[in-house]
Amino acid sequence: MTEREFRFGVVAGRAATGDEWAATARRAEGLGYDTLLVPDTLHTLSPFAALAAAAVVTTRLRVGTYVLSAPNRTPGLVAWEAETLQLISGGRFELGLGGGRPGAERDAEALGGDFGTPAERLARVGATIDAVRGLAKPPSVLVAASRPRMLRLAAERADTVALGLPPRTTEPELARTVEALRAAAGERFARLELHLNVAAVAPAPGDVPPWLSRMVGGDPVEMASAGGIAFLTGSPERIADLLCRRREEFDVSYVGVSGLFMEEFAPVIALLRA
């Protein structure tokens, strides 16, 4: 299979002012990132509004949700928002969907939604994809998945699959998940883009900031030292080599990086684009 070109995304969702948010979008574009991705939590900016604002201050940067929690919005509402953002961005919108991260039930309750059972959330993701695919100019669809039923849905329906694995996951576990996705997708696997998210970039495992513990659910230094796939450590050259190997072995070509480490990862983009 021909290797896909790398794509790089910045995952960000907070700013003190509108000017600061606009500056984040412009900086991401200037550093060579392909997408600006906004989470769907009550602790971050509202994704569609934030992405619209980012789109109007950039020209090349694509914008996407990472990822919408399906219980928070009806499929029709998502399709309406997606159609509007496709127009505002000039076709640069990418829709990311998921069944809800751990703790997302509290957001759904606060927003007046019904979080539902795993089967109901899976059905909601499928219905949302149907609604969006029916648009005159539908965006590409990313589905975040790690468990068997969501992996099967992503294999059958998504353009991009975000492998929603815990930060401490090691490469052998990544390999098993990719193989499960490959088996579910069959011939369609060759058309899928695979995404992994990066929690931290640092010169060495010991340099990973301890304050990340709340975000990654444990000791980040320990996770990085044990080979957790969400941590990229070493020189830009070493990280670039690692990502090339992961693309070759696991078909992962789309890398999302926390906005907190946008600057640290930028030299890796320059190397891989050169």
Side-chain angles (χ1 to χ4, degrees), residues 15 17-28 36 50 53-54 56-58 61:
T17 65
D19 287 344
E20 182 181 302
W21 178 246
T24 296
R26 292 192 189 100
R27 184 59 176 158
L36 176 62
V56 299
V57 298
T58 56
L61 188 71

Side-chain angles (χ1 to χ4, degrees), residues 96-190:
L97 296 169
R101 74 194 189 287
E105 63 274 13
R106 292 188 292 273
D107 287 357
E109 182 180 4
L111 293 170
D114 180 9
F115 194 63
T117 66
E120 289 168 339
R121 298 198 301 276
L122 184 74
R124 175 65 70 90
V125 172
T128 303
I129 293 174
D130 288 339
V132 170
R133 295 287 197 207
L135 297 174
K137 296 180 179 179
S140 64
V141 175
L142 173 150
V143 173
S146 60
R147 296 185 178 182
R149 288 189 294 176
M150 192 66 82
L151 277 173
R152 285 195 296 271
L153 185 148
E156 295 168 0
R157 308 289 305 281
D159 301 301
T160 300
V161 182
L163 301 171
L165 300 167
R168 65 173 67 251
T169 300
T170 58
E171 285 195 350
E173 296 169 280
L174 170 62
R176 287 192 289 272
T177 301
V178 172
E179 283 308 305
L181 180 64
R182 186 191 301 273
E187 293 183 358
R188 194 173 186 272
F189 184 81

Side-chain angles (χ1 to χ4, degrees), residues 43-113:
H43 303 293
T44 51
L45 298 172
S46 173
F48 285 107
L51 292 172
V56 299
V57 298
T58 56
T59 57
R60 178 195 58 80
L61 188 71
R62 299 182 68 81
V63 295
T65 52
Y66 187 76
V67 293
L68 291 187
S69 181
N72 290 354
R73 299 166 189 81
T74 63
L77 177 57
V78 175
W80 181 30
E81 296 278 18
E83 184 174 40
T84 301
L85 195 42
Q86 273 286 70
L87 174 68
I88 289 173
S89 67
R92 289 183 283 140
F93 175 54
E94 301 183 4
L95 177 68
L97 296 169
R101 74 194 189 287
E105 63 274 13
R106 292 188 292 273
D107 287 357
E109 182 180 4
L111 293 170

